[in-house]
Amino acid sequence: MHTVPTLAAIALASITLPLTVTGPAVALSDMAADLGSSVAAAQWVQNAYGVTFAACLLAAGGLADRFGRRRVLLTGLALFCLMSLVCTVATSMLLVDVARAVQGVGAAGVLTSGAAILAASFQGPARAQAFGVLGGSFGCGLALGPLTAGALVSAGSWRAVFAINVVVGIVVLALARFIPESRNPVASRVDWGGAATFSGSLGLLALMFVEGPARGWLTPAALGSLAGAVALMVAFVLVELRVEHPMFDLSLFRRPTFIVVVCQPFTITFGFVVLLVYLPPYFQGVGGHSATEAGALLLPLTVPVFLVPLVAGRIAARIPLRVMLAASSALIAVGSLWLMTLQPDASWTNLAGPLLVFGVGVGSAFGVMDNAAVSVAPVERAGMASGIFNTMRITGESVAIAGAAALLASLTLRDLDDRAPSLSGNARDLAGEATQGRIDGALDSVPAGQRQYALDAAAHGLTSAMHTAFLLLAGLALLGAITTYAVIRDREFDDAAETAPETAEAAAAAGGGTAEPDPAGA
């Protein structure tokens, strides 16, 4: 009875999560100029959100299983909306960065609990369709994000990009009262030691990617961040091996199929987020397009990610899952190689082909990946499986955003040093600002007679860096396609489906069903 409003609420909430990644990417240039921020401070608009988002997913999954998935969903959504409001009225980039970090915590609660609620509320073909809608919701946010953000920035202010999340959140909170509460009746306490070490390691890794291009890769700040990240990751592994109830349920990793499924985001979304975050600044900076035009240029990439998941679930029910996921990665590899034709003056028609192929590859995996992750695990561990999968997804995205910024800035700087040695005094600023689409600001410090020369040199360097990034993405996607086809065994999903009813009955006998209404109505 409550399945329709449940699906509607989670779908709407899920739209805001990609919106808050793609929107700031388009608005970042205007935001940084308005708030007078440095390159490093502007990078943390994306990094702060991604780090806390990824770091808190497993803890959010554990909290959802133990205290109630609906309760965690509402709490996360309220926190997410509140921080969106803070970003809307912020007067400094530091405040935006802090709010974005807290916003990532709320987003973790929304994403993990939402997927677990769907897993508990739907079974069989209905579950596949529900996750198809979930994938379509992510795709909708991704498709609307760049264009909507561009229109809002051009028509009003970058602040409207954050305000829109508040509006959507209010609607979801109104629908959420229809969602039945569900939990794992035998859930254990949250592994806070694992959460602290994992989040600390990821944060220091992001810090290394920020400090490396800005100060040099061999500086104490960059090397110290890397050493700290490695040390904390080792500590995380030791904690997980010794704690009674770890964040990572190691028994789930006995299945090679589960390992490959939860690693799919590294081949599916890793490259996608790089395009979403760094193509708009490229179009706006060296391409000379407006924010609205930059968003429009991405439509061949983002529209398929909205439309294809709506039918991908039905297709996945008719062909082997390994074939579909491998084909998705293969399409991404083809699109990445084709994008090596990118140039600053590229028209919409030149970009439509490679972006469309890339977008179809991503869209055909969205929703299917989520369903596969929770379907290969027992139903009472849906929160854990969803947490592990989404941790891998958001960790991949966070590493991609931070790592791509470092790669593009470093390669652009090297090209400037080789091709334009006369700009050596301005080369580092030019490389950093060009990566973020703020090339005009960097040109202010260049002598008037050299500005066109500097612009052309920065455009060539950044374009060459983008081509290198596309080649690396193609190699990663091809490796993912081969591994997926070779390792995944579809019968493991059939086995999980056959045992799901027995598992649900056992959970109910232990003290509460997976989708039993909460007496408190919380």
Side-chain angles (χ1 to χ4, degrees):
M1 180 174 69
H2 297 304
T3 55
V4 173
T6 294
L7 183 57
I10 293 173
L12 280 175
S14 299
I15 288 176
T16 63
L17 303 184
L19 269 176
T20 203
V21 174
T22 57
V26 175
L28 186 59
S29 179
D30 289 69
M31 186 191 315
D34 184 30
L35 299 178
S37 76
S38 64
V39 172
Q43 279 186 258
W44 282 108
V45 171
Q46 297 288 18
N47 290 337
Y49 175 80
V51 166
T52 55
F53 194 175
C56 294
L57 280 167
L58 283 175
L63 289 170
D65 280 345
R66 186 179 185 190
F67 297 108
R69 293 150 185 168
R70 177 175 176 267
R71 181 176 287 125
V72 171
L73 175 71
L74 294 179
T75 303
L77 183 62
L79 187 60
F80 181 89
C81 292
L82 179 60
M83 292 302 103
S84 296
L85 183 61
V86 171
C87 291
T88 302
V89 300
T91 57
S92 71
M93 189 61 81
L94 176 60
L95 181 57
V96 173
D97 291 343
V98 172
R100 289 281 284 172
V102 180
Q103 190 180 42
V105 177
V110 173
L111 181 59
T112 304
S113 57
I117 288 171
L118 291 186
S121 301
F122 297 89
Q123 298 296 329
R127 178 191 281 183
Q129 293 177 7
F131 275 96
V133 172
L134 180 66
S137 298
F138 288 126
C140 180
L142 292 168
L144 293 177
L147 188 61
T148 302
L152 290 172
V153 171
S154 298
S157 168
W158 60 266
R159 299 180 186 276
V161 172
F162 294 100
I164 194 172
N165 290 328
V166 181
V167 176
V168 176
I170 292 172
V171 176
V172 175
L173 288 171
L175 287 171
R177 63 190 181 93
F178 297 105
I179 298 177
E181 184 60 282
S182 63
R183 56 174 56 85
N184 177 8
V186 293
S188 61
R189 61 185 180 183
V190 178
D191 174 19
W192 294 114
T197 52
F198 183 83
S199 59
S201 176
L202 191 58
L204 287 175
L205 185 63
L207 180 62
M208 181 200 70
F209 284 128
V210 172
E211 295 295 334
R215 301 186 182 184
W217 292 104
L218 298 180
T219 60
L223 293 177
S225 297
L226 177 60
V230 172
L232 284 176
M233 186 54 65
V234 171
F236 170 72
V237 173
L238 294 176
V239 168
E240 297 307 282
L241 290 174
R242 297 181 180 182
V243 73
E244 184 178 358
H245 301 289
M247 291 173 63
F248 274 77
D249 184 353
L250 299 182
S251 65
L252 293 175
F253 287 85
R254 294 172 183 169
R255 297 183 176 185
T257 294
F258 181 79
I259 296 174
V260 172
V261 167
V262 298
C263 289
Q264 280 290 310
F266 285 99
T267 59
I268 300 295
T269 63
F270 197 96
F272 184 51
V273 74
V274 170
L275 268 59
L276 284 176
V277 172
Y278 294 107
L279 277 181
Y282 177 87
F283 294 146
Q284 292 173 263
V286 300
H289 293 282
S290 67
T292 303
E293 291 170 341
L297 285 171
L298 283 181
L299 285 176
L301 172 70
T302 55
V303 169
V305 180
F306 167 45
L307 296 178
V308 174
L310 300 178
V311 297
R314 297 179 182 179
I315 298 174
R318 292 176 172 82
I319 65 174
L321 190 65
R322 65 172 182 163
V323 173
M324 183 159 189
L325 290 177
S328 299
S329 295
L331 286 172
I332 291 172
V334 172
S336 297
L337 289 175
W338 195 353
L339 276 170
M340 291 183 68
T341 60
L342 176 72
Q343 293 297 327
D345 59 352
S347 66
W348 190 89
T349 53
N350 297 133
L351 293 167
L355 290 179
L356 182 64
V357 171
F358 202 112
V360 171
V362 175
S364 60
F366 267 35
V368 176
M369 293 189 300
D370 303 72
N371 186 33
V374 296
S375 295
V376 78
V379 68
E380 79 277 6
R381 304 300 286 165
M384 170 69 75
S386 174
I388 292 174
F389 172 76
N390 285 300
T391 295
M392 299 300 285
R393 167 156 59 187
I394 306 304
T395 297
E397 293 179 1
S398 301
V399 171
I401 291 173
L407 176 68
L408 294 175
S410 296
L411 291 178
T412 303
L413 175 61
R414 188 177 69 179
D415 191 85
L416 284 170
D417 288 339
D418 291 341
R419 293 175 56 87
S422 62
L423 298 173
S424 59
N426 305 102
R428 191 173 295 276
D429 286 342
L430 280 170
E433 299 285 7
T435 302
Q436 296 187 11
R438 298 163 53 188
I439 188 66
D440 289 342
L443 291 175
D444 291 340
S445 60
V446 177
Q450 286 190 304
R451 288 180 183 174
Q452 186 60 48
Y453 172 68
L455 176 60
D456 293 341
H460 181 277
L462 181 57
T463 301
S464 177
M466 296 287 281
H467 290 172
T468 301
F470 296 148
L471 183 61
L472 293 174
L473 293 176
L476 179 63
L478 183 59
L479 177 63
I482 295 171
T483 304
T484 297
Y485 188 81
V487 174
I488 284 184
R489 295 293 178 265
D490 287 81
R491 66 173 179 270
E492 295 194 37
F493 300 99
D494 297 332
D495 294 342
E498 292 173 2
T499 59
E502 299 175 3
T503 306
E505 290 175 7
T514 57
E516 183 176 320
D518 180 29

